[in-house]
Amino acid sequence: MKTIQTLFVLALLLLSATTVSAQYGYGNGYGNGYGNNGYGRNGGMGMNQMNQTREQSAPKEIPIEVTVSKIMEQLKPELNLDALQEIAVSNVLTESIKTQTALLKSKSSQEELMKEFEALSENTDRKVNAFLSEEQKAKYKAFKEDNKNPKKSKKKK
């Protein structure tokens, strides 16, 4: 009977301690009074909202590997790439995307950026074409043209 009473008292103490802790500073017991600034939970809400807007304003960057894999998913069946070509082309695309990212972060004018992107595009195409056969080169050129001018959806037939 004494052990049951002891367990009951310990459980009661444990529950009351967590309730007190939860009321004092968002549940971890390390607040500055009630809430962040002593004025209850509303005092900290402004800071939380400010942090959320700051996080939303800076979009997450998509990893380069994800972008390259999506491109390769389209290119591989279109060009009938073998494993070696797939690796080589994906390495060229990875390098190109890294350079594009660096160019976007630079403080160049719009005109300079356009020239640099055009040169980068030509350089990337030249490197990719070095790994392709004549038939694949023609398909690659057609693939690029299709991506430049995306067709409208074919709902009406």
Side-chain angles (χ1 to χ4, degrees), residues 111-139:
E111 208 171 286
E112 291 173 8
L113 278 176
M114 291 303 293
K115 288 179 183 176
E116 290 176 5
F117 274 117
E118 207 170 293
L120 178 63
S121 176
E122 290 172 7
N123 189 21
T124 303
D125 288 344
R126 194 170 14 88
K127 287 180 180 179
V128 168
N129 281 326
F131 299 112
L132 302 177
S133 68
E134 291 302 319
E135 182 181 319
Q136 288 172 325
K137 287 178 185 177
K139 289 180 180 179

Side-chain angles (χ1 to χ4, degrees), residues 57-71:
S57 65
K60 274 188 173 178
E61 284 189 24
I62 300 172
I64 294 171
E65 294 78 19
V66 172
T67 306
V68 170
S69 68
K70 287 183 180 180
I71 295 170

Side-chain angles (χ1 to χ4, degrees), residues 45-63:
M45 289 302 233
M47 292 300 289
N48 289 338
Q49 289 172 349
M50 202 162 67
N51 289 340
Q52 286 176 352
T53 56
R54 190 177 310 142
E55 289 174 6
Q56 289 173 354
S57 65
K60 274 188 173 178
E61 284 189 24
I62 300 172

